[in-house]
């Protein structure tokens, strides 16, 4: 990737259209023998909760107090028996115990924060049912060796696809689709719109005549539609095949080598901490702050230098020392030249904030 492309498209944001043949293959069946695909991670988790509720009445659905606010609101719209438990999302809590707050007839949603969390899930008969979210830890060791009863992930966080979600059971519990999954034509337009936006972004990379505002407005439109759509929908065969093609790719190969390279270049500083775990892969380059003003100043500096980070997640209130987290993408779209650019800008900001 050259400097001209850097100036044109920047680093980050949603995926452009990608040729799957350019990515390293990975056989997901070797690690997850049985799974079901959905259009979104939200569809996957709703399907799992409704499946469990048919088998046993669910008293309370527990969510972490630090979670994607869009998913939280979406779930609260669909289920009225939701409560929250406290957890520090930036440092794995060895003392965290599900039984401290949840009962046998509850469902606990665990989040594999950034691909580095490993939960010690009880094996007693009195334990609640646990569903683990691997949306930001797809293919991490914690994902592939989860101890949860069920797992799900929003695949479009990692895969360059318009939409995609997955559900499976590490314990081989039944997760097959049921008759409540419906077919709704208007929803399928969302896939087509995002697919078009990805094509436009790919064209923008190579064709200066393309207006980036076209694909940005399309993505904004679809995100709003997804927030207001609540039915679990039937997956079209052509969409299932498309998702499966990209599902069988080794995304961690690129992330792990990029992360190792960039961590060696970022200089120590007093303004933030880096979240990383040498024994496990992470979703991206994760930077956490105590101070909101420094967080905003750092973010603005990156954007001015064509690096577009994401905040995971705004509007969450934490009673912890570190409160704000930024993710910088280090996926298959980028190489060591990109990592050097990111590291140089991080170090430049650090030096000037003594």
């Amino acid at each position: 990737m050259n400097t001209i492309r850097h100036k044109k498209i920047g680093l980050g944001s949603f995926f452009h259209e990608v040729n799957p043949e350019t990515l390293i293959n990975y056989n997901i069946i070797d690690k997850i023998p049985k799974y079901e695909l959905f259009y979104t991670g939200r569809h996957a988790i709703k399907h799992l909760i409704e499946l469990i509720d048919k088998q046993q009445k669910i008293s309370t659905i527990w969510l972490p107090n630090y979670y994607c606010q869009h998913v939280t609101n979406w779930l609260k719209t669909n289920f009225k028996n939701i409560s929250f438990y406290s957890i520090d999302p930036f440092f794995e809590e060895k003392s965290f115990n599900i039984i401290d707050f949840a009962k046998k007839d509850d469902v606990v949603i665990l989040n594999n924060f950034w691909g580095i969390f490993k939960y010690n899930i009880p094996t007693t008969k009195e334990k609640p049912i646990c569903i683990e979210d691997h949306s930001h830890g797809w293919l991490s060791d914690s994902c592939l060796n989860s101890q949860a009863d069920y797992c799900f992930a929003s695949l479009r966080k990692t895969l360059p696809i318009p939409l995609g979600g997955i559900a499976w059971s590490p314990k081989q519990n039944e997760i097959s689709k049921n008759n409540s999954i419906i077919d709704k034509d208007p929803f399928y337009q969302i896939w087509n719109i995002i697919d078009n936006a990805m094509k436009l972004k790919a064209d923008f990379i190579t064709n200066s005549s393309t207006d980036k505002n076209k694909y940005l407005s399309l993505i904004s439109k679809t995100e709003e539609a997804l927030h207001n759509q609540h039915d679990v929908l039937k997956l079209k065969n052509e969409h299932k095949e498309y998702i499966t093609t990209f599902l069988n790719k080794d995304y961690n190969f690129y992330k792990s080598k990029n992360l190792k390279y960039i961590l060696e270049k970022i200089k120590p500083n007093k303004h933030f901490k880096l979240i990383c775990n040498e024994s496990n892969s992470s979703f991206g380059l994760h930077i956490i702050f105590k101070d909101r003003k420094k967080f905003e100043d750092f973010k603005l500096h990156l954007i001015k230098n064509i690096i577009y980070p994401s905040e995971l997640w705004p509007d969450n209130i934490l009673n912890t020392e570190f409160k704000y987290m930024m993710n910088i993408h280090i996926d298959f779209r980028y190489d060591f030249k990109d990592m050097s650019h990111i590291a140089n800008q991080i170090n430049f900001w650090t030096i000037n904030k003594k």
Side-chain angles (χ1 to χ4, degrees), residues 49 52-62 81-83 98-99 101-109 124-131 149:
I49 292 173
I52 294 166
D53 196 46
K54 288 181 179 179
Q55 298 168 355
Q56 64 175 68
K57 192 65 179 175
I58 299 173
S59 178
T60 302
I61 300 170
W62 292 93
N81 54 337
I82 289 179
S83 292
I98 296 165
I99 297 179
F101 59 87
K103 299 178 182 178
K104 182 180 179 180
D105 56 352
D106 293 346
V107 167
V108 179
I109 309 301
T124 63
K125 292 183 179 180
E126 300 303 311
K127 79 170 187 66
I129 292 178
C130 296
I131 303 176
D149 299 287

Side-chain angles (χ1 to χ4, degrees), residues 20 32 37 49 60 89 125 130 173 212 225 243 272 321:
I32 305 177
L37 295 177
I49 292 173
T60 302
K125 292 183 179 180
C130 296
N173 295 323
K212 69 177 182 180
I243 294 171
F272 58 74
E321 184 179 13

Side-chain angles (χ1 to χ4, degrees), residues 84-309:
F84 298 88
Y85 63 88
S86 297
I87 190 168
D88 187 335
F90 307 137
F91 302 98
E92 190 175 10
E93 295 183 43
K94 302 298 183 181
S95 61
F96 177 77
N97 194 340
I98 296 165
I99 297 179
D100 287 345
F101 59 87
K103 299 178 182 178
K104 182 180 179 180
D105 56 352
D106 293 346
V107 167
V108 179
I109 309 301
L110 300 169
N111 193 27
N112 174 13
F113 291 107
W114 336 126
I116 64 175
F117 266 56
K118 279 190 176 181
Y119 294 96
N120 185 20
I121 297 176
T123 57
T124 63
K125 292 183 179 180
E126 300 303 311
K127 79 170 187 66
I129 292 178
C130 296
I131 303 176
E132 192 167 9
D133 182 352
H134 297 285
S135 298
H136 291 86
W138 177 245
L139 295 187
S140 66
D141 180 68
S142 303
C143 168
L144 300 177
N145 297 290
S146 173
Q147 298 177 17
D149 299 287
Y150 301 92
C151 296
F152 77 98
S154 172
L155 292 173
R156 69 189 186 116
K157 302 289 192 305
T158 302
L159 282 59
I161 53 178
L163 293 169
I166 189 171
W168 73 98
S169 172
K171 297 184 178 179
Q172 301 302 309
N173 295 323
E174 182 62 44
I175 58 166
S176 60
K177 296 180 181 178
N178 57 45
N179 294 328
S180 68
I181 297 180
I182 63 173
D183 188 327
K184 184 178 287 186
D185 286 335
F187 177 85
Y188 300 128
Q189 296 175 16
I190 297 177
W191 175 288
N192 295 334
I193 292 171
I194 300 175
D195 184 53
N196 185 35
M198 293 175 69
K199 286 181 168 62
L200 287 173
K201 186 170 184 178
D203 186 59
F204 176 76
I205 294 172
T206 58
N207 183 357
S208 59
S209 64
T210 302
D211 181 3
K212 69 177 182 180
N213 289 321
K214 289 183 178 180
Y215 62 74
L216 290 175
S217 63
L218 289 177
I219 289 297
S220 177
K221 176 182 178 181
T222 56
E223 288 299 329
E224 183 63 29
L226 289 173
H227 296 333
N228 296 310
Q229 186 280 330
H230 299 101
D231 295 318
V232 178
L233 304 178
K234 182 179 179 180
L235 195 63
K236 286 189 174 183
N237 287 334
E238 58 265 37
H239 295 165
K240 182 178 181 179
E241 291 174 4
Y242 192 86
I243 294 171
T244 301
T245 298
F246 284 97
L247 187 67
N248 288 285
K249 300 296 177 180
D250 191 355
Y251 301 96
N252 274 355
F253 169 81
Y254 306 94
K255 288 185 178 182
S256 60
K257 70 174 185 177
N258 280 340
L259 183 62
K260 181 180 179 181
Y261 182 88
I262 196 170
L263 287 177
E264 292 175 351
K265 289 188 169 293
I266 297 176
K267 297 177 180 178
N269 72 94
K270 63 180 181 180
H271 304 293
F272 58 74
K273 282 187 178 292
L274 300 174
I275 299 179
C276 59
N277 186 328
E278 293 182 359
S279 64
N280 211 342
S281 56
S282 60
F283 180 69
L285 178 65
H286 304 303
I287 305 174
I288 53 176
F289 287 78
K290 301 176 185 178
D291 183 78
R292 184 73 198 183
K293 288 184 178 180
K294 282 189 173 65
F295 175 95
E296 295 288 355
D297 186 72
F298 180 67
K299 181 179 179 181
L300 182 61
H301 168 75
L302 294 180
I303 292 173
K304 285 181 178 178
N305 289 278
I306 53 80
I307 301 167
Y308 303 117

Side-chain angles (χ1 to χ4, degrees), residues 42 63 67-79 82 84 227 230:
R42 300 175 202 185
L63 292 178
Y67 204 45
C68 174
Q69 68 272 27
H70 299 304
V71 175
T72 296
N73 291 333
W74 193 88
L75 287 172
K76 288 171 71 174
T77 300
N78 286 275
F79 304 101
I82 289 179
F84 298 88
H227 296 333
H230 299 101

